Amino acid sequence: MATSNNNLVTIPDAITAHKQNSKHIKFIDGSWHMPVGDNPRNGRAEFTSGPRIPGAFYFDIDDIAPVMGSDDNPKKLPHMKPSSKMFASAMDQMGILPSDTLFVYATNDCAFYHRAYWTLRSCGHDPALVKLVQGSLDEWKECGGELEEGQLGEEDERLFRMSDLGWEEKTPTYQVMSDNENDVVVDMDQVLDIVNQKDTADAVIVDARSAGRFVGTAPEPRPGLRGGHMPGALNVPFTDLLDADDKTKFRPMDEVRDIFIKAGISPDASNRKVVCSCGSGVTAAALAIGLEECGLRNKEDITIFDGSWIEWGSSDSTPIVTD
C-alpha cells in the first residue's frame, strides 16, 4: 500500500536548517526554465547574478546529463538522466557526501525545479535525505532567510561544467546508493509496449503537458513535433498540481490526490504502475513527486519516460491520437 511522504519542506523549516551551518546540510538551486520566447529566463544566469542562498550550488539539469550526440545520447535529447558515474562526479564537485541532507530550492516563479530534485533522488542519493523547498526566494527573505547578492565570477566553483572536469577519466569518491540505471526511467520501446498492450498493460501513462497540447489543438513549443498524445494516456497538466499564486509550491496534497484520481489514476496502489511523460522529461518530475507525496503510488511504482514527447512526437512511426 502506498504511503504519503514528507519530503516537502516549508521556507521557515528550510531557514532553520540553513542556520545550523552544518557541513552535512547542503542547498541546491534547481531552477530551470523553458528556452523558448524572445527573452527566456535562464536558471544558471540567474544563479550567477544572484540573489542566491549562501553556500548553495547550482544543479544544471542540461549540463549534468549525457552529451547530445554521444553514445549515451545518440538521439540528441535534452537533460536526460545522467549515468551513475557522471552523477557521482557532479556530487564530488559540489562537495556532497552520501550522508548529507539536500534542500532543493528555486528562484521566484520557477515551476520547473522538480527535475533537479527528482534527479538527485533517482540517481543514487538517499531519497529520504533530499528535500524540496516550498516557496520563493522572496518568501525566504521575508521570513528572515539570509541571501547572497552580487555577480559570481566565471571561475567560481559553483558554476562548474561537466565538460571541464575530465570526469570520464576519473574514479569518483561519491558512492551512489544503488546502480539503478533502468529502474526510474523507461525508454520509447517500453512505452510503446504499454501503448500496444492497452488495458492489459501493468502501467498507465500520464502526460503533464497542457490540455491543448495533449489533444493537438495548441502548438508544441519545439518545432517539428506532431501534436496529440499516446493512445491510452491520461492528461494531468502539471500546473494543475501547483499553487496558482506561487509556482514553487504544490497545492495541498489532498487536492493533488483528487486531481490524479479524477484524471483516472486508481487509488488502488496494486492496480497499475505509472509512467510520467511531458514535453522533454522536466515537468513529468512534478507528476512523479505529486503521486508519491500524495500517497497514490510508492516511489518504486513511478517512472519517467525520459525522452517524453520530444522523442515520441518527432518520430514518424509512433502512434498518436488527438481525442
Side-chain angles (χ1 to χ4, degrees):
M1 181 176 180
T3 57
S4 58
N5 283 323
N6 61 348
N7 283 348
L8 309 185
V9 299
T10 65
I11 289 289
D13 286 346
I15 291 174
T16 297
H18 190 258
K19 287 183 176 179
Q20 292 180 28
N21 291 318
S22 170
K23 65 179 181 179
H24 294 300
I25 294 176
K26 307 288 172 58
F27 278 73
I28 307 290
D29 185 337
S31 304
W32 183 87
H33 300 277
M34 282 284 290
V36 296
D38 295 332
N39 188 29
R41 293 176 64 183
N42 181 284
R44 177 183 281 269
E46 291 183 2
F47 179 83
T48 302
S49 62
R52 67 195 74 83
I53 293 176
F57 271 82
Y58 180 66
F59 194 96
D60 190 335
I61 64 171
D62 286 322
D63 187 63
I64 307 173
V67 176
M68 292 185 183
S70 66
D71 290 342
D72 292 330
N73 188 8
K75 292 186 178 181
K76 301 180 180 180
L77 301 171
H79 37 253
M80 299 286 282
K81 177 181 174 291
S83 67
S84 293
K85 183 176 182 178
M86 174 182 262
F87 176 77
S89 299
M91 299 297 266
D92 281 346
Q93 182 64 22
M94 293 185 285
I96 294 174
L97 301 176
S99 57
D100 289 345
T101 299
L102 311 181
F103 288 78
V104 182
Y105 74 94
T107 49
N108 296 332
D109 204 35
C110 176
F112 304 101
Y113 72 129
H114 309 96
R115 176 74 188 201
Y117 167 84
W118 175 88
T119 302
L120 288 161
R121 297 181 79 233
S122 300
C123 286
H125 203 76
D126 185 346
L129 296 180
V130 188
K131 309 298 181 182
L132 189 67
V133 180
Q134 298 291 280
S136 65
L137 285 185
D138 282 346
E139 184 179 350
W140 176 277
K141 185 175 182 179
E142 290 169 2
C143 291
E146 184 183 357
L147 286 174
E148 177 187 359
E149 306 280 354
Q151 184 85 12
L152 294 179
E154 292 184 3
E155 301 303 318
D156 193 292
E157 65 177 359
R158 290 171 286 181
L159 300 177
F160 71 92
R161 290 191 181 274
M162 296 304 297
S163 59
D164 296 330
L165 302 183
W167 64 272
E168 298 95 335
E169 309 303 323
K170 301 176 182 177
T171 300
T173 59
Y174 179 93
Q175 295 293 314
V176 299
M177 281 190 64
S178 61
D179 191 13
N180 58 346
E181 290 288 334
N182 301 312
D183 293 344
V184 295
V185 294
V186 292
D187 61 25
M188 193 156 72
D189 288 339
Q190 291 171 293
V191 175
L192 190 58
D193 284 343
I194 295 171
V195 169
N196 289 335
Q197 292 170 21
K198 300 181 181 179
D199 293 339
T200 64
D202 66 352
V204 60
I205 302 163
V206 185
D207 193 323
R209 293 175 301 148
S210 68
R213 291 170 65 189
F214 185 77
V215 298
T217 58
E220 288 294 318
R222 299 172 179 87
L225 300 183
R226 295 181 291 162
H229 60 273
M230 304 159 199
L234 305 175
N235 185 213
V236 178
F238 84 100
T239 51
D240 289 356
L241 306 183
L242 307 182
D243 188 317
D245 297 321
D246 187 349
K247 296 175 183 177
T248 61
K249 294 180 180 179
F250 275 100
R251 295 171 66 169
M253 280 299 135
D254 57 342
E255 295 180 14
V256 169
R257 182 182 176 89
D258 286 344
I259 290 169
F260 280 123
I261 293 174
K262 288 177 181 177
I265 299 178
S266 169
D268 179 3
S270 64
N271 184 24
R272 303 170 89 183
K273 296 182 179 181
V274 179
V275 175
C276 301
S277 184
C278 60
S280 65
V282 174
T283 61
L287 298 190
I289 297 165
L291 282 165
E292 183 182 358
E293 287 291 332
C294 79
L296 268 180
R297 293 293 187 276
N298 291 319
K299 183 178 184 295
E300 57 267 25
D301 295 323
I302 306 165
T303 57
I304 284 181
F305 174 24
D306 222 9
S308 283
W309 198 254
I310 197 171
E311 182 176 12
W312 191 275
S314 63
S315 172
D316 294 329
S317 60
T318 50
I320 291 177
V321 295
T322 56
D323 55 0

